[in-house]
Structures are given as C-alpha cells and as structure tokens.
Amino acid sequence: MPKIPSAAAYSPANPPPSSSSITSSIDGQILRFIPFQSSADEGFWRRLSSLKLDTLGLDQSPIPITGFYAPCSHPQVPNPLKLMAESLPDDAGEQSTSLQSVNGNRNRCPVPGILYNTNTLESFHSLDKNALLKAEAKKIYDDIISGKADDDCTVLSRFLLISFADLKKWTFYHWFAFPALSFDSPATLISIQSASKVFNLEEAKSLTKACNEWRNSDTRGGIPFFLVRITSNAHVTIQPLKAWEALQHGGEKLLFGFYDPCNLPSNPGWPLRNFLAFICLKWKIEKIQFFCFRERRGLIDLDFSLVGEALIVFPQGWKDPHRVPKAVGWDLKPKLINLSASMDPTRLAVSAADLNLKLMRWRALPSLDISILSSINCLLLGAGTLGCQVARMLMAWGVRRITFLDSGRVSMSNPVRQSLYTFEDCLNGGELKAVAAAKSLKRVFPAVEAVGVELEIPMPGHPVPTKETNNVIKDCEHLQNLISSHDVVFLLTDTRESRWLPTLLCTNENKVAITAALGFDSYLVMRHGAGPAPFSSDMHDSTCSSATDDNTNGIVSQIHKLSMEGDHKGQRLGCYFCNDVVAPIDSTSNRTLDQQCTVTRPGAAPIASSLAVEMLVGILHHPEGINAPGEISSSIIGSNDRPLGILPHQIRGSLSQFSQMTLLGYSSKCCTACSDAVVSEYRRKGMEFVLRAITQPAYLEDLTGLTELLISANSFSLDWDEDADDSVANVDD
C-alpha cells in the first residue's frame, strides 16, 4: 500500500519535491477531470413554465435553484446533476429551501445554483457567458476565503444555468456551466488506482463500515465532501471538513474524500477540481491524496472507488481579496428540449390521470390493457344521478370517449345528487342535461372527448300522435345510429319502458349493454347477453308455433324456458326484460310525484354506478368478451389468469340489509326485447316494427307468445286430493 501522508505533510514549511521532478517521473501526466453530466426532467420545465406565466412575467432576474447528485453507482453510466420540480423555489423572490429539506437524503445531495431565464432567444444567445462564469467562480473563491465552505461544502459545486422557454412551442433552450477555479499550472497526477488495492484488509473493512454509516446518516448523508481519517491501528472514521484543525496535529493519515459522479476507472469527477483548490487555499497543502467515493447497490464499492495522489503548485497572488480567478466550466454547447408532446397541460393531465392505472399494472393487474379502455366509445343513456356517476368512474378507468343522451334539463334538485352539475346549470330554465354533463366532464378532464345529445327515447306504452310519427321514426333512427357507432351502451334511464328500444337495438347490433337500475334502497346491475345469431324464417316460424301450445306440456315447456335451472350450455345470458311476463307499459302517467321521480337513498347510485363500470372492465378483459359466461362463484378471485376476479351476470344489492348477491339468468324465448322472434321481426320490418311496438304494447306480447302463455296459465287448474294432502301432512308431522 502506498504511504498516505499525514495531515502536516507537504505544507509550505515542508515543501514537496519540485513539480518538474514529479512530472518527469510520470512523463508529465496532467490530472484530468471528467465534466459533470446534466439532466433536467419534465417536472422542472413544467414548474419553470408556471413560474414564468404566473410570477416572473418579463422579469429576468437570476433565480436561485438547487441541483441534486449522488455518487456514481454504475460502472457504465455516470451520475448526472439533476434538476426537478423542487429545484425551483415556490416564489422567484425567495431562496429555495431545497438545500435544507434534503440535507439528509443520501441519493439527492443538494448543490446550489443560479438560473438566468431570458425572455427571447436573442437574449439567450447574447448573454455574456464568460462574465457569468467568472461571477459564479468568484462566489466559490469568496466562500473558500471567508470560511463559508468549511460549514457548507456544497458551495464548492455551484452551477449555472441559462435558458429560454418558448411556451408557445413548449421548447426550452438551456446551457449548463459548472464553474471550476483554474490553476496557473495544471495539477499533476502522481498515481490513481482502485481503492481496494490501496488499503489492507483491516483498513478496507473499517473504511467500508465508516463510509456506509456516513452515507446512511440523517444529518451527514447528503454532505459530498469529507475527511477520511485512518489511525495507526487501522481504524477509519469519516469527519466533516471543519474537523481539519483538530486533526492536523494528531499524526493520523488523512484522505480528502468526495462523492464522485464519474464512472471512469482512471479519472476523477468534476467536483474534485474545486475541492483541490479549497484544500490548497485553506490549508496550504500541495500534495494531496484524494478518495473518489463510488458505490454499488447503495453501499460503498472499494473496487469501483479510486484513491489518487496529485501535486498542486500553490498559485501566487491567490490571497488577494480582489482577485477574480480564472474559471472554466461551460458545457460544449447549448441543448434544446422539445416537450410539446408532454408539456401541454392537457397531455400532462392525461399522464397524471393514467398514473394510477400504470401503477396498478406493476403488481396487482399486470394484464391490464390501458389501450382498450382509452379507445372504446361509451354511450350513456341518461345523464341523471347514474349517468353522472358512471361517467366519472369511466374516466377513472381511463375511458376517454363518452357520449351522453338525455332529453331533460338541469333542475334545482339535481346538483346535490348529480355530480356533474352546479347551481349555474339550473338557471334560466336549466341547461340541457346531456350538454351540461359533457361540458362539465371536459372541465374535470380536458382530454376527454365528451358529447351531449338531446334526444327523447321512444317508449312502448306512450302513444304517438299521427303528426309526430315522422319525428319519432327519426328519433329511433338517430338512436340506432348512436348505438351502432359506440362500443358500449349503459342503460341508466329512470323508467323501465325507456330501456326497451335501446335493449332491442343493442341486441341486434350485438353491442355490450349494461343496465344499472335503482329502487329506494336497492339496486340492480346487469350485463345483457350477446345478440342472437342470424337465423332463417323457418327458425322464426318454429319459435312462434311453440309459443301457441295450450296443453300442459306446452306450459311446462314455456316455464322451463324462463327458468334459470337446467342445462344452459351455450345459451345466451338474459337481458333486462327476460323475466317479464308482460310487455313494457307507461309507468309514469297517473302517478304521484314520488312515483314519477327516482326516489332513492343517495348511496345507491354511486354503488351501482361503480359496479356497472367494474363490470365493463371485466368484460373488456375477459377472453370471451360479450360472450363471457355469468359467474357466481368466488373461487377464481386472485388467480393469475383472472386478476379482476369473477364476471357476474347480475348483481343485486340492498342498502337496508347491507347485502349483495350475484345472480345468473338466461335469455327467454318469450322476451319482448331480445328474443329471436323480436329481433327477427325488427330485422325484417325495421322502424315499422318499432313504431307498432310503441303504439301497441299488446303487439309484443302476441309476437313473443306471452299472450297465449298467460291464457294457458290462467286456464290450467289443479285438483287437490284432500285425503292425499292429509296423509302428506301426517307424514310431515
């Protein structure tokens, strides 16, 4: 191991060998320092943009900033000095508090800097860069002479940044400088090698322990310059620079250590330049042994760290307080960063909104497909309590294309229950709900593509005057086009009959349809099954004929078709109307106010809305999509192939019981909305069929066989055998 000099070695009273003799012994090798790398992340430029727009205006005064760096931790990549959002102060007129707030952060050693942000590109290029560099170098020199660097050694690594922010194009011109005091004669390198080759086993072990303790200290972990003291018994301690006076008479061996951001095996990093000047000016030491602290995986790595020895000729006249030392340190050229794709506030909002989804993919949901969610088109039929909540939940899951359909206006009773409306939406008769909801959604999240459509859905049981027939047909066609152009339809309207036509159209188009419906203290969420496959007229005839059987076997057969039991392999899941035994009718006329309005406990809508959206996400991620079977078992929850859990057909909940259950129901061949007979007739007659179904509710019952089924059921009677009944009772007793 090379001899490490004591603290008193090579002072002016004990001069070193001449520079020429040392230079000749190593062929005059000059100590070369690897410049700092620099990095400014998007958060820094975004923060600067806000500061420029909201506070600075045309003010070009220098702004104190804070950079961060750490020892190199990878042999192939140097550690840069980084600028982040917190590098800038909250107010341009205040000193940044980052230096104090991160003083114990081992991975973010603070470095003071100054920023000059210009108003024009011409001003940026015309700045006197030499004068700016000298001014910052003078600060370093003054801090050394005054003793400030003894207490706060981070000032030895001061840096300078000039910039021009073009906020129209979101481009940023910037140029870094890391001022370094320049000696009259360059420092001469005597030796440099891996630290593991310098220390013996005991010293290496003690040094490793001491360095790791220093790095992990809450108060010292962010201090980048220090003294390495080695006693005669190989005990190593790390001391702050101000401990020099107490150590210089002890005769211990000393190294001057610093956090080295450089990764090269034979060169120290840039911070050593000013550190050598500090040592030379402060303590008159000209032969200096330095320690380049580098680490791997958070611990010091002596194989990667370096120990070197350099000779410095004390510069004449450096004690002159009026001296302005020579300085170097500008990067070779300015840099340009274009953040137009990410710095736009809307794009930033998208990035922030997607953060939770991306973090979910890390561990919980690695199979989550964000692109599917962001690309689907969702149509919300109804912009009331359910519609508002569903829209918010869709945005939270990353859905970006939402269309509202509603014919109502915002009333005074709406804003407290319907989250997308405010009091202002109620004024002057109230804004159209669909339009107001779309506007509100864009205020919440500007990147969403929200559209509001005013349309009243034609409904069975609501007669249409002859003069309005053409308008109703146009409304039906408009609704048909909307459903055809969207991927998912949510049925969120107030009345049962308003869901009939959308259900039929979704079935015909084979669209994903999800119903959410509320009672006073209960809710239903269900996904409709896929539409029927194309079929021939023969199939339609057989369906109709089977519905006309009036014998007992026919009745049992029809009841079996409505049952949820038996062999349903390959059978479609049911829709909202599959359990009905009558066609939809007018449910609002001749009703009291509480029966006309959706009177429900406030908590029901958010619960049902959330479940509806969660169900959609499950469908989109299920390998069978809309054809996914209904599940009621919880056995697959947490499995690797199904991280979202089960995909039920129906969810029914009760707030009064605080209960919830999943149910499974299959399509009925007598359904007035999704049966083969109804879909076939719609495909054959189009709007003529729809108009007749709307004006003549009994038409749907006749078509599907419900009329004959009810007649047969009413005519079917059972004769009770009282004796047999008594015998059964006796047995039960």
Side-chain angles (χ1 to χ4, degrees):
M1 167 182 157
K3 183 179 179 181
I4 300 174
S6 67
Y10 302 130
S11 65
N14 184 21
S18 67
S19 173
S20 59
S21 64
I22 294 178
T23 301
S24 61
S25 66
I26 56 173
D27 298 326
Q29 183 176 348
I30 295 175
L31 178 58
R32 301 189 183 279
F33 310 88
I34 303 305
F36 245 130
Q37 301 293 313
S38 59
S39 171
D41 68 15
E42 290 185 12
F44 175 82
W45 299 117
R46 175 165 56 90
R47 179 74 186 90
L48 177 61
S49 301
S50 299
L51 199 63
K52 175 70 174 176
L53 291 172
D54 302 332
T55 305
L56 294 177
L58 296 176
D59 188 2
Q60 296 185 133
S61 301
I63 304 170
I65 58 176
T66 303
F68 306 96
Y69 88 101
C72 188
S73 57
H74 194 287
Q76 303 299 323
V77 183
N79 259 355
L81 180 133
K82 298 180 180 179
L83 297 182
M84 296 171 282
E86 54 266 45
S87 295
L88 285 159
D90 293 335
D91 189 307
E94 298 177 355
Q95 179 69 34
S96 174
T97 59
S98 299
L99 287 170
Q100 290 75 28
S101 63
V102 300
N103 200 28
N105 191 327
R106 52 175 285 124
N107 294 316
R108 291 170 57 184
C109 304
V111 178
I114 200 77
L115 167 66
Y116 291 86
N117 185 59
T118 62
N119 288 321
T120 66
L121 185 58
E122 290 75 15
S123 298
F124 171 81
H125 287 299
S126 64
L127 283 173
D128 189 343
K129 289 178 282 295
N130 288 331
L132 293 175
L133 186 67
K134 286 184 178 180
E136 293 305 308
K138 184 66 164 61
K139 292 179 184 178
I140 297 173
Y141 177 82
D142 291 342
D143 288 339
I144 294 174
I145 300 301
S146 67
K148 180 179 179 180
D150 293 12
D151 296 318
D152 182 12
C153 59
T154 62
V155 298
L156 296 176
S157 296
R158 286 183 183 274
F159 69 99
L160 171 68
L161 175 65
I162 61 174
S163 66
F164 165 66
D166 186 346
L167 301 185
K168 288 185 178 180
K169 300 178 180 178
W170 294 105
T171 55
F172 300 84
Y173 295 83
H174 58 287
W175 204 336
F176 276 90
F178 300 95
L181 303 179
S182 181
F183 296 99
D184 296 333
S185 299
T188 304
L189 181 63
I190 299 175
S191 66
I192 189 167
Q193 57 187 315
S194 169
S196 62
K197 298 179 180 179
V198 174
F199 303 101
N200 61 38
L201 184 61
E202 290 78 15
E203 289 173 335
K205 183 177 180 180
S206 184
L207 175 63
T208 298
K209 179 181 178 182
C211 287
N212 289 335
E213 288 177 352
W214 176 272
R215 284 284 285 146
N216 291 318
S217 169
D218 292 337
T219 58
R220 299 172 299 180
I223 300 176
F225 299 94
F226 48 86
L227 302 173
V228 180
R229 174 195 178 208
I230 306 175
T231 65
S232 58
N233 61 353
H235 178 67
V236 179
T237 59
I238 307 298
Q239 301 289 337
L241 298 183
K242 60 184 178 181
W244 166 261
E245 297 294 337
L247 298 175
Q248 66 174 331
H249 301 298
E252 295 93 351
K253 299 174 183 178
L254 288 178
L255 285 84
F256 298 91
F258 72 102
Y259 292 162
D260 189 0
C262 177
N263 66 307
L264 298 184
S266 58
N267 296 89
W270 198 254
L272 181 58
R273 288 198 67 141
N274 287 334
F275 194 24
L276 294 179
F278 170 86
I279 297 167
C280 184
L281 285 169
K282 193 71 178 177
W283 299 313
K284 308 299 187 297
I285 301 175
E286 297 183 351
K287 190 175 183 182
I288 300 168
Q289 191 150 23
F290 55 87
F291 174 54
C292 303
F293 183 108
R294 301 174 182 178
E295 58 186 15
R296 191 171 302 184
R297 298 181 179 177
L299 300 173
I300 186 171
D301 186 338
L302 293 184
D303 290 328
F304 189 26
S305 300
L306 304 176
V307 171
E309 198 168 16
L311 180 67
I312 301 175
V313 177
F314 186 82
Q316 299 300 319
W318 269 40
K319 274 297 186 179
D320 181 0
H322 302 292
R323 178 185 177 90
V324 179
K326 297 178 182 179
V328 294
W330 280 107
D331 280 352
L332 292 177
K333 59 182 180 180
K335 299 177 182 178
L336 170 64
I337 182 170
N338 188 336
L339 299 180
S340 58
S342 58
M343 285 301 298
D344 176 79
T346 300
R347 293 182 180 272
L348 285 172
V350 172
S351 177
D354 287 343
L355 178 61
N356 183 58
L357 297 175
K358 293 178 180 178
L359 293 179
M360 287 167 61
R361 288 196 305 186
W362 280 15
R363 294 176 185 262
L365 296 172
S367 60
L368 182 65
D369 191 337
I370 298 177
S371 61
I372 291 180
L373 294 165
S374 62
S375 62
I376 62 168
N377 293 296
C378 292
L379 175 62
L380 278 54
L381 303 182
T385 309
L386 288 168
C388 292
Q389 293 289 345
V390 166
R392 296 298 295 262
M393 292 300 103
L394 286 172
M395 286 201 306
W397 267 108
V399 175
R400 301 290 179 254
R401 301 173 183 176
I402 299 173
T403 300
F404 294 95
L405 184 148
D406 203 297
S407 62
R409 293 183 177 272
V410 183
S411 66
M412 290 291 182
S413 65
N414 293 155
V416 294
R417 297 179 297 112
Q418 300 173 7
S419 59
L420 293 180
Y421 307 126
T422 63
F423 173 75
E424 286 73 18
D425 296 322
C426 308
L427 304 178
N428 303 317
E431 190 170 358
L432 290 170
K433 274 192 168 183
V435 175
K439 290 181 180 178
S440 179
L441 215 58
K442 292 185 72 66
R443 286 195 295 268
V444 172
F445 184 58
V448 71
E449 299 177 25
V451 178
V453 177
E454 180 193 9
L455 181 68
E456 186 170 356
I457 300 174
M459 299 176 284
H462 293 252
V464 179
T466 304
K467 62 180 181 179
E468 294 295 327
T469 299
N470 291 335
N471 291 334
V472 171
I473 291 176
K474 288 181 180 179
D475 289 343
C476 292
E477 291 174 342
H478 192 181
L479 180 61
Q480 179 188 44
N481 292 334
L482 285 171
I483 290 176
S484 178
S485 61
H486 287 75
D487 305 303
V488 179
V489 180
F490 284 90
L491 281 65
L492 311 169
T493 54
D494 289 336
T495 63
R496 191 175 191 85
E497 61 268 27
S498 62
R499 301 167 188 254
W500 175 80
L501 181 56
T503 299
L504 169 61
L505 296 176
C506 288
T507 303
N508 179 64
E509 296 278 352
N510 203 33
K511 297 289 184 178
V512 174
I514 298 176
T515 283
L518 305 175
F520 168 66
D521 58 5
S522 61
Y523 55 86
L524 163 69
V525 178
M526 70 178 298
R527 57 187 174 100
H528 296 198
F535 48 84
S536 64
S537 58
D538 294 338
M539 294 174 62
H540 170 246
D541 294 340
S542 64
T543 302
C544 293
S545 63
S546 66
T548 58
D549 291 340
D550 57 354
N551 52 36
T552 302
N553 291 334
I555 297 172
V556 173
S557 175
Q558 293 292 349
I559 293 175
H560 175 73
K561 292 170 186 175
L562 294 173
S563 173
M564 293 187 293
E565 301 175 354
D567 181 14
H568 298 290
K569 184 176 181 180
Q571 190 171 349
R572 295 187 292 117
L573 294 177
C575 75
Y576 184 65
F577 296 93
C578 278
N579 287 339
D580 288 2
V581 293
V582 294
I585 59 174
D586 184 358
S587 62
T588 59
S589 298
N590 197 29
R591 300 293 181 95
T592 60
L593 181 61
D594 64 315
Q595 292 174 317
Q596 293 180 28
C597 299
T598 304
V599 179
T600 182
R601 287 173 62 167
I607 296 173
S609 301
S610 299
L611 291 173
V613 175
E614 294 291 327
M615 186 176 285
L616 169 63
V617 176
I619 295 171
L620 295 176
H621 286 81
H622 195 283
E624 297 184 51
I626 192 175
N627 297 302
E631 297 166 334
I632 58 176
S633 170
S634 61
S635 60
I636 66 168
I637 292 180
S639 64
N640 292 330
D641 58 334
R642 298 287 300 284
L644 287 168
I646 69 169
L647 181 56
H649 174 223
Q650 301 180 39
I651 304 172
R652 293 179 182 266
S654 169
L655 287 180
S656 61
Q657 299 295 322
F658 285 92
S659 63
Q660 185 172 284
M661 58 182 175
T662 56
L663 299 173
L664 178 60
Y666 294 96
S667 61
S668 167
K669 292 186 178 180
C670 294
C671 178
T672 59
C674 76
S675 65
D676 290 357
V678 170
V679 175
S680 175
E681 196 70 2
Y682 167 72
R683 289 172 177 171
R684 210 161 53 86
K685 296 183 178 179
M687 291 305 157
E688 177 187 345
F689 163 76
V690 173
L691 193 62
R692 186 174 178 185
I694 290 173
T695 56
Q696 303 174 27
Y699 169 60
L700 291 174
E701 296 175 358
D702 295 341
L703 176 66
T704 57
L706 284 177
T707 303
E708 289 79 5
L709 179 62
L710 291 175
I711 293 174
S712 300
N714 290 332
S715 65
F716 185 73
S717 61
L718 296 175
D719 295 328
W720 295 97
D721 187 334
E722 294 183 1
D723 293 337
D725 187 53
D726 290 340
S727 64
V728 171
N730 292 333
V731 170
D732 289 342
D733 291 340

